[in-house]
Amino acid sequence: MKKLIENIMPGTTFITMFGGLGCFINNEIYGLIINDRFYIRSSNANISYYKKIGWLRHSYSKKKYNNTLTRYFRVPEEYLDCDKKLLSLITLELRQRSHELTRLQEDNESKLNKLPNIQRSLERKLKGVGIKTVEDLKSTGAVQVYSKLKEIEGDSLRKEILFCLEGAIRGVRKEVIPKHRKEELISYLN
């Protein structure tokens, strides 16, 4: 089986895992070889499809748990007997996985709490003043966002929040913002 995979996907590397071999191309796993059987790593989009057409799902047992299902599905012989079909299947899954990773990365990039200095409590306050995405924060600017928050919070809002916002926009912790920049930000408030 390893030879077949090497012929279809030149450049594949193999790493021992799940009692078999993980098949990787460009550091991305796409399948497993276990007991001379090939299992394709399913993208989120195709899991239900493989279940529907009756492909067997790989599972393994942990100490405390009887059976843990993985996202790997046993590829039928008809695919293994036809290089084009198998290559097409592997390529489809790699492409689909790439799209899923891109979407996940874009989703994380738009989440405010993925920025430095922005905890969930501050994120909720930001959403309360109309700042719902990273782009909203960057386009509005730290001083204007702080002013919006101050309208709601009043004098209880600490100036440290201004530095948190500036750091989030810059992608750094508030502690590394230069002193002259902090003074400049404060002067904009007056």
Side-chain angles (χ1 to χ4, degrees), residues 37-51:
R37 294 185 179 118
F38 182 66
Y39 294 80
I40 190 77
R41 183 186 192 282
S42 178
S43 56
N44 292 333
N46 291 332
I47 288 175
S48 58
Y49 172 73
Y50 294 139
K51 286 196 289 191

Side-chain angles (χ1 to χ4, degrees), residues 107-116 118 120 123 134:
D107 288 348
N108 282 342
E109 287 174 0
S110 69
K111 292 182 179 177
L112 291 165
N113 69 4
K114 298 295 181 191
L115 295 173
I118 308 291
R120 293 215 185 269
E123 181 184 33
V134 172

Side-chain angles (χ1 to χ4, degrees), residues 125-178:
K125 290 177 182 179
L126 291 171
K127 287 183 177 181
V129 294
I131 305 299
K132 296 182 182 350
T133 66
V134 172
E135 186 54 41
D136 292 341
L137 177 61
K138 288 180 177 180
S139 65
T140 306
V143 173
Q144 281 189 318
V145 171
Y146 180 84
S147 296
K148 288 181 176 192
L149 289 169
K150 185 125 174 123
E151 287 175 19
I152 293 171
E153 299 278 319
D155 291 334
S156 67
L157 189 66
R158 299 168 302 160
K159 286 191 174 53
E160 183 178 299
I161 298 297
L162 175 61
F163 307 141
C164 288
L165 296 169
E166 179 69 12
I169 290 169
R170 292 173 169 231
V172 299
R173 303 288 310 153
K174 66 182 180 288
E175 295 82 9
V176 300
I177 297 171

Side-chain angles (χ1 to χ4, degrees), residues 57-68:
R57 198 167 184 178
H58 175 260
S59 64
Y60 64 96
S61 296
K62 288 186 177 181
K63 292 177 184 176
K64 294 182 180 180
Y65 309 100
N66 291 347
N67 212 10
T68 302

Side-chain angles (χ1 to χ4, degrees), residues 5 8-10 25 28-31 38 40-41 43 46 50 79 83-99:
I5 297 301
I8 290 174
M9 292 294 288
I25 193 93
E28 185 70 41
I29 189 165
Y30 64 86
F38 182 66
I40 190 77
R41 183 186 192 282
S43 56
N46 291 332
Y50 294 139
Y79 281 81
D83 290 358
K84 282 185 178 182
K85 267 184 145 174
L86 185 54
L87 178 60
S88 177
L89 176 67
I90 293 169
T91 304
L92 167 80
E93 285 300 340
L94 285 169
R95 192 176 308 122
Q96 187 65 37
R97 178 71 180 142
S98 175
H99 291 308

